């Protein structure tokens, strides 16, 4: 067999060698860059409005799964209340090899406001779960009222903000969510003093009555009607309030359920357990004292059909509790912890 080679001039041979060497250097450089990109943790700089939850979602991480890891990596630049500092650089966690890639799809939920209306779907962990969310009071009834720096604090505004954040976390995990009390122009707010208004409506778009019994009856009927329509699906009702007690009484988040509801008690116990673990992790020197008890005489607890939990987020009139509720990062943490407890309950029920 004869092979024919074209005779190349010395100049051509030199050019070919140079081209091969050049290509080798390029490929080697790309390999090194790729290796560094895989091994070097990615960092981000916090801007106004950023929190741990928001940054993780923005970059495709499940905030419940990676929240603690983010804190561990960045503990020197995180405040006592787990807040971030504008302009500081933060390291993102490294995703586990078996972690499913972040889904690019998202849903738009205008009720959350312009800043938060885009909700990235981070998982389908709650697919099949249905939640009815009632934030206490609303419309003509602001609920408990207190003063801070000469400005009025209203229970319904803070309960609603936590509820919206909770709804967003549930939707991000594939749940179906019904907000029974809604305010079209509030959205999720990051201010500490939330402006008081009286324009909330009841699902689907009903004016809230002034009479207390009619108000409670209205929201109860809305939940029960939806519960009947949704058949045998996993359904839970979450009611959020901010308690009103003596100014000196500092209380931890606590939970009520119906005395005859085993599922409601399990849900309340799961939430209490979650909060206890979080306190042990973030405030190891302070014992968590939040309780679980039945309170079947309350109208909504007594008359709604889904298994439910009634959550008191703190004492609006107590200075320490005010710090917990007025800080938007704390309201986000409350919503995250409730989400984590609901997720644990759903997993055990399936």
């Amino acid at each position: 067999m004869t092979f024919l080679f074209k005779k190349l001039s010395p100049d051509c041979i030199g050019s070919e060698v140079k081209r091969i060497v050049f290509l080798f250097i390029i490929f080697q450089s790309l390999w090194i860059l790729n290796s560094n990109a895989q091994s070097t943790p990615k960092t981000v700089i916090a801007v106004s409005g950023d929190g741990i939850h928001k940054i993780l979602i923005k970059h495709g991480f499940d905030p419940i799964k990676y929240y603690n890891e983010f804190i561990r990596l960045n503990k020197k630049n995180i405040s006592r209340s787990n807040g971030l500092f504008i302009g500081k650089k933060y390291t993102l966690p490294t995703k586990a090899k078996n972690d499913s890639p972040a889904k690019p799809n998202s849903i738009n939920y205008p009720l959350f406001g312009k800043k938060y209306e885009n909700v990235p779907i981070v998982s389908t962990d709650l697919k099949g779960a249905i939640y009815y969310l009632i934030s206490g009071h609303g419309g003509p009834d602001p609920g408990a009222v207190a003063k801070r720096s000469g400005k009025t604090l209203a229970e319904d505004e803070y309960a609603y903000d936590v509820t919206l954040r909770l709804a967003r976390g549930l939707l991000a995990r594939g749940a179906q969510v019904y907000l029974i009390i809604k305010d079209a122009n509030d959205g999720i707010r990051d201010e500490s003093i939330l402006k008081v208004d009286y324009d909330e409506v009841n699902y689907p778009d009903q004016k809230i009555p002034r009479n207390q019994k009619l108000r409670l009856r209205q929201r109860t009927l809305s939940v029960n009607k939806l519960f009947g329509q949704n058949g045998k699906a996993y359904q839970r009702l979450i009611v959020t309030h901010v308690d009103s007690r003596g100014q000196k009484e500092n209380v931890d988040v606590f939970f009520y359920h119906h005395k005859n509801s085993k599922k409601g008690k399990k849900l309340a116990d799961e939430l209490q357990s979650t909060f206890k673990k979080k306190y042990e992790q973030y405030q190891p020197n302070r014992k968590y004292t939040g309780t679980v008890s039945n309170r079947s005489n309350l109208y909504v607890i007594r008359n709604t059909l889904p298994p439910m939990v009634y959550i008191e987020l703190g004492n609006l009139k107590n200075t320490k509790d005010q710090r917990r509720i007025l800080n938007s990062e704390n309201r986000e943490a409350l919503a995250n912890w409730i989400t984590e407890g609901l997720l644990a309950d759903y997993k055990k029920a399936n």
Side-chain angles (χ1 to χ4, degrees), residues 218-229:
Q218 181 187 58
R219 59 195 61 186
T220 297
L221 288 174
S222 293
V223 170
N224 289 346
K225 184 177 180 181
L226 289 166
F227 180 76
Q229 291 172 355

PDB file of all heavy atoms in Angstrom, residues 218-229:
ATOM      1  N   GLN A 218     -68.254  34.995  56.944  1.00  0.00           N
ATOM      2  CA  GLN A 218     -67.936  35.160  55.524  1.00  0.00           C
ATOM      3  C   GLN A 218     -66.693  34.372  55.129  1.00  0.00           C
ATOM      4  O   GLN A 218     -66.697  33.613  54.157  1.00  0.00           O
ATOM      5  CB  GLN A 218     -67.726  36.649  55.226  1.00  0.00           C
ATOM      6  CG  GLN A 218     -67.422  36.966  53.770  1.00  0.00           C
ATOM      7  CD  GLN A 218     -67.057  38.429  53.594  1.00  0.00           C
ATOM      8  OE1 GLN A 218     -66.122  38.936  54.206  1.00  0.00           O
ATOM      9  NE2 GLN A 218     -67.822  39.133  52.754  1.00  0.00           N
ATOM     10  N   ARG A 219     -65.615  34.509  55.909  1.00  0.00           N
ATOM     11  CA  ARG A 219     -64.369  33.820  55.548  1.00  0.00           C
ATOM     12  C   ARG A 219     -64.479  32.310  55.780  1.00  0.00           C
ATOM     13  O   ARG A 219     -63.879  31.513  55.041  1.00  0.00           O
ATOM     14  CB  ARG A 219     -63.182  34.431  56.295  1.00  0.00           C
ATOM     15  CG  ARG A 219     -63.241  34.404  57.796  1.00  0.00           C
ATOM     16  CD  ARG A 219     -62.216  35.350  58.422  1.00  0.00           C
ATOM     17  NE  ARG A 219     -62.431  36.735  58.044  1.00  0.00           N
ATOM     18  CZ  ARG A 219     -61.633  37.756  58.356  1.00  0.00           C
ATOM     19  NH1 ARG A 219     -60.536  37.525  59.055  1.00  0.00           N
ATOM     20  NH2 ARG A 219     -61.905  38.964  57.960  1.00  0.00           N
ATOM     21  N   THR A 220     -65.267  31.930  56.780  1.00  0.00           N
ATOM     22  CA  THR A 220     -65.488  30.508  57.049  1.00  0.00           C
ATOM     23  C   THR A 220     -66.240  29.847  55.897  1.00  0.00           C
ATOM     24  O   THR A 220     -65.879  28.748  55.452  1.00  0.00           O
ATOM     25  CB  THR A 220     -66.274  30.337  58.360  1.00  0.00           C
ATOM     26  OG1 THR A 220     -65.497  30.859  59.440  1.00  0.00           O
ATOM     27  CG2 THR A 220     -66.585  28.878  58.643  1.00  0.00           C
ATOM     28  N   LEU A 221     -67.269  30.510  55.401  1.00  0.00           N
ATOM     29  CA  LEU A 221     -68.041  29.974  54.281  1.00  0.00           C
ATOM     30  C   LEU A 221     -67.178  29.849  53.026  1.00  0.00           C
ATOM     31  O   LEU A 221     -67.307  28.870  52.274  1.00  0.00           O
ATOM     32  CB  LEU A 221     -69.252  30.872  53.997  1.00  0.00           C
ATOM     33  CG  LEU A 221     -70.385  30.814  55.025  1.00  0.00           C
ATOM     34  CD1 LEU A 221     -71.456  31.864  54.702  1.00  0.00           C
ATOM     35  CD2 LEU A 221     -71.018  29.423  55.057  1.00  0.00           C
ATOM     36  N   SER A 222     -66.285  30.824  52.799  1.00  0.00           N
ATOM     37  CA  SER A 222     -65.406  30.776  51.622  1.00  0.00           C
ATOM     38  C   SER A 222     -64.504  29.545  51.682  1.00  0.00           C
ATOM     39  O   SER A 222     -64.331  28.828  50.688  1.00  0.00           O
ATOM     40  CB  SER A 222     -64.541  32.041  51.546  1.00  0.00           C
ATOM     41  OG  SER A 222     -65.341  33.178  51.296  1.00  0.00           O
ATOM     42  N   VAL A 223     -63.916  29.299  52.855  1.00  0.00           N
ATOM     43  CA  VAL A 223     -63.028  28.143  53.014  1.00  0.00           C
ATOM     44  C   VAL A 223     -63.801  26.843  52.845  1.00  0.00           C
ATOM     45  O   VAL A 223     -63.361  25.927  52.128  1.00  0.00           O
ATOM     46  CB  VAL A 223     -62.339  28.179  54.395  1.00  0.00           C
ATOM     47  CG1 VAL A 223     -61.615  26.865  54.672  1.00  0.00           C
ATOM     48  CG2 VAL A 223     -61.360  29.344  54.475  1.00  0.00           C
ATOM     49  N   ASN A 224     -64.942  26.747  53.478  1.00  0.00           N
ATOM     50  CA  ASN A 224     -65.726  25.500  53.430  1.00  0.00           C
ATOM     51  C   ASN A 224     -66.214  25.183  52.022  1.00  0.00           C
ATOM     52  O   ASN A 224     -66.255  24.012  51.610  1.00  0.00           O
ATOM     53  CB  ASN A 224     -66.893  25.575  54.399  1.00  0.00           C
ATOM     54  CG  ASN A 224     -66.442  25.520  55.852  1.00  0.00           C
ATOM     55  OD1 ASN A 224     -65.286  25.174  56.140  1.00  0.00           O
ATOM     56  ND2 ASN A 224     -67.321  25.868  56.767  1.00  0.00           N
ATOM     57  N   LYS A 225     -66.568  26.208  51.261  1.00  0.00           N
ATOM     58  CA  LYS A 225     -67.019  26.000  49.880  1.00  0.00           C
ATOM     59  C   LYS A 225     -65.875  25.452  49.032  1.00  0.00           C
ATOM     60  O   LYS A 225     -66.043  24.488  48.271  1.00  0.00           O
ATOM     61  CB  LYS A 225     -67.539  27.308  49.298  1.00  0.00           C
ATOM     62  CG  LYS A 225     -68.109  27.162  47.893  1.00  0.00           C
ATOM     63  CD  LYS A 225     -68.683  28.490  47.391  1.00  0.00           C
ATOM     64  CE  LYS A 225     -69.240  28.331  45.979  1.00  0.00           C
ATOM     65  NZ  LYS A 225     -69.786  29.624  45.464  1.00  0.00           N
ATOM     66  N   LEU A 226     -64.685  26.046  49.173  1.00  0.00           N
ATOM     67  CA  LEU A 226     -63.518  25.578  48.428  1.00  0.00           C
ATOM     68  C   LEU A 226     -63.118  24.173  48.860  1.00  0.00           C
ATOM     69  O   LEU A 226     -62.735  23.343  48.030  1.00  0.00           O
ATOM     70  CB  LEU A 226     -62.345  26.544  48.648  1.00  0.00           C
ATOM     71  CG  LEU A 226     -62.481  27.913  47.986  1.00  0.00           C
ATOM     72  CD1 LEU A 226     -61.446  28.883  48.539  1.00  0.00           C
ATOM     73  CD2 LEU A 226     -62.337  27.795  46.468  1.00  0.00           C
ATOM     74  N   PHE A 227     -63.212  23.907  50.148  1.00  0.00           N
ATOM     75  CA  PHE A 227     -62.877  22.584  50.677  1.00  0.00           C
ATOM     76  C   PHE A 227     -63.754  21.519  50.033  1.00  0.00           C
ATOM     77  O   PHE A 227     -63.271  20.447  49.641  1.00  0.00           O
ATOM     78  CB  PHE A 227     -63.060  22.576  52.196  1.00  0.00           C
ATOM     79  CG  PHE A 227     -62.749  21.249  52.839  1.00  0.00           C
ATOM     80  CD1 PHE A 227     -61.436  20.826  53.017  1.00  0.00           C
ATOM     81  CD2 PHE A 227     -63.777  20.417  53.279  1.00  0.00           C
ATOM     82  CE1 PHE A 227     -61.157  19.606  53.608  1.00  0.00           C
ATOM     83  CE2 PHE A 227     -63.507  19.199  53.873  1.00  0.00           C
ATOM     84  CZ  PHE A 227     -62.192  18.787  54.040  1.00  0.00           C
ATOM     85  N   GLY A 228     -65.051  21.797  49.890  1.00  0.00           N
ATOM     86  CA  GLY A 228     -65.964  20.856  49.250  1.00  0.00           C
ATOM     87  C   GLY A 228     -65.645  20.658  47.780  1.00  0.00           C
ATOM     88  O   GLY A 228     -65.739  19.533  47.255  1.00  0.00           O
ATOM     89  N   GLN A 229     -65.226  21.724  47.103  1.00  0.00           N
ATOM     90  CA  GLN A 229     -64.922  21.643  45.674  1.00  0.00           C
ATOM     91  C   GLN A 229     -63.655  20.841  45.402  1.00  0.00           C
ATOM     92  O   GLN A 229     -63.521  20.227  44.342  1.00  0.00           O
ATOM     93  CB  GLN A 229     -64.763  23.058  45.100  1.00  0.00           C
ATOM     94  CG  GLN A 229     -66.050  23.851  45.048  1.00  0.00           C
ATOM     95  CD  GLN A 229     -65.817  25.320  44.655  1.00  0.00           C
ATOM     96  OE1 GLN A 229     -64.672  25.761  44.509  1.00  0.00           O
ATOM     97  NE2 GLN A 229     -66.891  26.065  44.505  1.00  0.00           N
TER      98      GLN A 229
END
